[in-house]
């Protein structure tokens, strides 16, 4: 031991106390506005089905149609990998996991659509469809056949359809309550939001429903679909989407980019409306920054190029969808929208290749961080958080197995959760 240093200070203890007191309101505001990621599973996609099309067997039908497309257009691992450009060493693992996923859980998040995919209908018809949707969702959860997340997209809060959207929401939620209560995986999607006041109005609607049924305040959350230019940049030059998150009063769970409505809104011609257009990149970047740290997640949109027809056309559509999905993942948009059963093989192929090709490097970096072993990259706590989040998302969607991650990192699932949590406190790492 060397000579003990003399420690001297110049400031009175009251200085620190006064500074802390002056920042008390800021501390509370930071905790309220930026609680961090909720730590729950985020689905890799959202599938939407019109309200009059959804049936008890819809989820299984999507999986079966996706498997049939694989059998017809890429019947083995090598041919599937060749179409998509998946490296040879990943061809077998990705193909096998995609098929297993389509057999076990083809859809992670389903939205029964009463907006654009459903259109205007007589009130009695939409009432009946909303009540039917509630019954089928309740039955699916009761029987164990539900997707992990399910819900509806109602009509928006604009004047022409507002009353209809409110009524459909009421009919659907009331039907769930009468059938036994709200399922844990319930998700509501509010489309075409333009002003924060529309978000605030939807909050009032959910508050009223909670009070009517004696539910805990805040039980009902919802996603905000970003489909208009005004939701990105308000008339006063501010980022309206940030104000929308605030107007949701803690109920916003996601921001979902609407590829085609937003593209049309800013004047992109139909031939160039896509999720990789510069206009789309700008909107999603603003969404991403506005949502960072708030616990609100960001989802990419969809492609309307369907993998149907002869094999060469299916392969072309698959390559497009695979490329868009991989591009989104690299930009930290971990969720997107799928419009057709034929999109499922490439959704999962892209997601699984993304996580499997990064498994060993991510695991090694995290293990080195935990062991303080250094290596050729000097990682910080924020990077350890990102690495653990990456591995957790891979586990949740089926790309990775808990056991293989534990073997490579020396960490349990609980350890990964602790690293990924922004407010984990002191972390104690346990052996797997």
């Amino acid at each position: 031991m060397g000579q003990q240093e003399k420690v001297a200070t110049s400031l009175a203890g009251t200085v620190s106390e006064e500074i802390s007191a002056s920042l008390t309101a800021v501390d509370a505001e930071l905790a309220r506005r930026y609680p961090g990621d909720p730590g729950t599973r985020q689905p890799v996609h959202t599938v939407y089905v019109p309200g009059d099309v959804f049936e008890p067997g819809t989820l299984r039908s999507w999986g079966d149609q996706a498997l049939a497309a694989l059998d017809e257009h890429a019947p083995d691992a090598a041919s599937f990998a060749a179409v998509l450009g998946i490296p040879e060493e990943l061809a077998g693992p990705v193909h096998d996991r995609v098929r297993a996923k389509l057999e076990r859980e083809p859809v992670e998040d389903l939205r029964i659509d009463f907006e654009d995919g459903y259109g205007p209908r007589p009130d009695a018809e939409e009432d009946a469809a909303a009540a039917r949707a509630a019954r089928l969702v309740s039955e699916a959860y009761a029987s164990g056949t539900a997707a992990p997340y399910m819900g509806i997209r109602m009509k928006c809060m604009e004047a022409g359809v507002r009353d209809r959207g409110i009524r459909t929401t009421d009919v659907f939620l009331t039907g769930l309550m009468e059938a036994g209560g709200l399922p844990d995986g319930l998700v509501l999607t509010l489309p075409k939001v333009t002003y924060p006041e529309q978000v605030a109005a939807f909050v009032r609607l959910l508050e009223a429903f909670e009070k009517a049924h004696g539910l805990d305040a805040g039980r009902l959350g919802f996603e905000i679909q970003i489909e208009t230019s005004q939701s990105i940049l308000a008339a006063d030059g501010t980022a309206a989407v940030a104000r929308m998150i605030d107007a949701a009063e803690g109920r916003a769970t996601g921001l979902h980019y609407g590829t085609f409505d937003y593209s049309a809104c800013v004047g992109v011609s139909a031939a160039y409306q896509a999720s990789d257009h510069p206009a789309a990149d700008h909107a999603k970047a603003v969404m991403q920054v506005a949502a960072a740290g708030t616990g609100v997640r960001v989802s990419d949109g969809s492609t309307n190029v369907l993998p149907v027809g002869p094999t060469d056309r299916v392969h072309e559509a698959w390559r497009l969808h695979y490329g868009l999905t991989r591009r989104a993942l690299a930009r930290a948009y971990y969720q997107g929208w799928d419009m057709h059963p034929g999109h499922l093989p490439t959704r999962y192929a892209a997601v699984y290749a993304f996580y499997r090709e990064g498994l060993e490097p991510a695991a090694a970096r995290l293990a080195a961080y935990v062991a303080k072993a250094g290596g050729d990259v000097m990682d910080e706590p924020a990077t350890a958080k990102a690495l653990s989040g990456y591995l957790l998302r891979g586990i949740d969607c089926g790309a990775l197995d808990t056991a293989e991650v534990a073997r490579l990192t020396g960490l349990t699932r609980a350890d990964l959760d602790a690293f990924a949590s922004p407010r984990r406190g002191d972390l104690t790492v346990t052996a797997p």
Side-chain angles (χ1 to χ4, degrees):
M1 296 291 291
Q3 180 179 351
Q4 186 173 0
E5 297 292 339
K6 178 183 178 181
V7 177
T9 62
S10 302
L11 301 177
T14 55
V15 173
S16 179
E17 294 172 1
E18 290 169 357
I19 290 174
S20 293
S22 72
L23 291 174
T24 298
V26 170
D27 293 340
E29 186 75 349
L30 281 170
R32 182 183 73 82
R33 289 183 181 273
Y34 303 104
D37 189 86
T40 55
R41 174 182 178 181
Q42 181 180 11
V44 302
H45 69 168
T46 299
V47 163
Y48 70 95
V49 177
D52 58 337
V53 173
F54 179 63
E55 298 286 349
T58 293
L59 297 176
R60 186 62 264 152
S61 174
W62 273 61
D64 291 343
Q65 290 179 66
L67 286 166
L70 274 178
D71 290 338
E72 180 178 358
H73 302 293
D76 53 45
S79 59
F80 192 46
V83 172
L84 303 178
I86 296 173
E88 182 179 352
E89 65 272 16
L90 290 179
V94 168
H95 177 265
D96 293 346
R97 286 173 183 268
V98 168
R99 290 197 67 94
K101 180 73 168 182
L102 296 175
E103 292 166 355
R104 182 186 74 254
E105 187 184 76
V107 175
E108 291 195 357
D109 184 25
L110 176 77
R111 208 67 71 249
I112 304 169
D113 192 23
F114 289 94
E115 202 230 358
D116 284 351
Y118 185 77
R121 307 287 181 95
D123 283 339
E125 182 177 344
E126 185 161 340
D127 281 351
R132 176 176 171 273
R135 175 176 59 80
L136 293 179
V137 168
S138 293
E139 291 174 354
Y141 277 104
S143 66
T145 60
Y149 299 95
M150 297 181 74
I152 65 168
R153 179 172 71 168
M154 68 292 297
K155 290 177 174 63
C156 69
M157 297 297 284
E158 293 178 355
V161 294
R162 182 185 304 139
D163 289 344
R164 183 61 260 179
I166 291 171
R167 182 171 175 84
T168 296
T169 304
D170 187 8
V171 170
F172 177 71
L173 293 177
T174 300
L176 291 177
M177 292 299 297
E178 292 181 348
L182 305 179
D184 290 338
L186 174 66
V187 187
L188 304 174
T189 302
L190 180 65
K192 292 185 178 60
V193 180
T194 304
Y195 282 82
E197 289 81 0
Q198 293 168 328
V199 173
F202 197 65
V203 169
R204 301 287 86 77
L205 169 63
L206 300 183
E207 285 178 339
F209 188 88
E210 289 167 350
K211 290 178 182 178
H213 288 273
L215 298 171
D216 292 340
R219 169 63 181 85
L220 290 163
F222 60 99
E223 302 166 336
I224 302 169
Q225 199 155 17
I226 304 301
E227 302 177 89
T228 67
S229 61
Q230 296 91 344
S231 60
I232 295 298
L233 188 68
D236 62 2
T238 60
V241 65
R243 293 163 54 202
M244 290 174 184
I245 293 173
D246 193 49
E249 299 180 12
R251 293 177 185 264
T253 59
L255 301 175
H256 286 236
Y257 176 67
T259 304
F260 305 104
D261 282 286
Y262 187 90
S263 298
C265 184
V266 296
V268 178
S269 61
Y272 298 98
Q273 292 178 359
S275 61
D276 60 351
H277 190 280
D281 284 342
H282 171 259
K284 287 181 287 187
V286 175
M287 291 163 57
Q288 188 175 49
V289 173
T294 65
V296 179
R297 287 157 167 172
V298 176
S299 173
D300 199 0
S302 61
T303 175
N304 59 359
V305 179
L306 304 185
V308 296
T311 295
D312 59 340
R313 290 183 60 186
V314 170
H315 286 181
E316 184 179 356
W318 273 354
R319 282 189 288 268
L320 173 65
H321 185 241
Y322 180 88
L324 290 174
T325 303
R326 286 301 306 260
R327 184 180 188 273
L329 290 167
R331 287 158 174 75
Y333 308 130
Y334 298 113
Q335 185 175 354
W337 282 59
D338 290 328
M339 300 180 68
H340 188 273
H343 286 141
L344 299 186
T346 39
R347 170 67 61 182
Y348 291 121
V351 170
Y352 289 1
F354 175 76
Y355 288 114
R356 293 212 64 81
E357 70 185 20
L359 167 60
E360 292 191 6
R365 286 179 66 180
L366 186 56
Y369 174 84
V370 172
K372 308 299 182 186
D376 60 354
V377 178
M378 183 64 71
D379 285 326
E380 297 186 355
T383 305
K385 172 186 171 184
L387 290 167
S388 57
Y390 172 89
L391 295 172
L392 286 168
R393 284 189 293 271
I395 291 170
D396 286 342
C397 71
L400 310 177
D401 298 326
T402 303
E404 67 179 338
V405 173
R407 175 176 56 81
L408 291 168
T409 62
L411 302 175
T412 66
R413 170 71 191 237
D415 294 332
L416 295 173
D417 286 332
F419 273 118
S421 171
R423 301 184 184 278
R424 64 182 184 275
D426 293 332
L427 174 68
T428 300
V429 177
T430 56

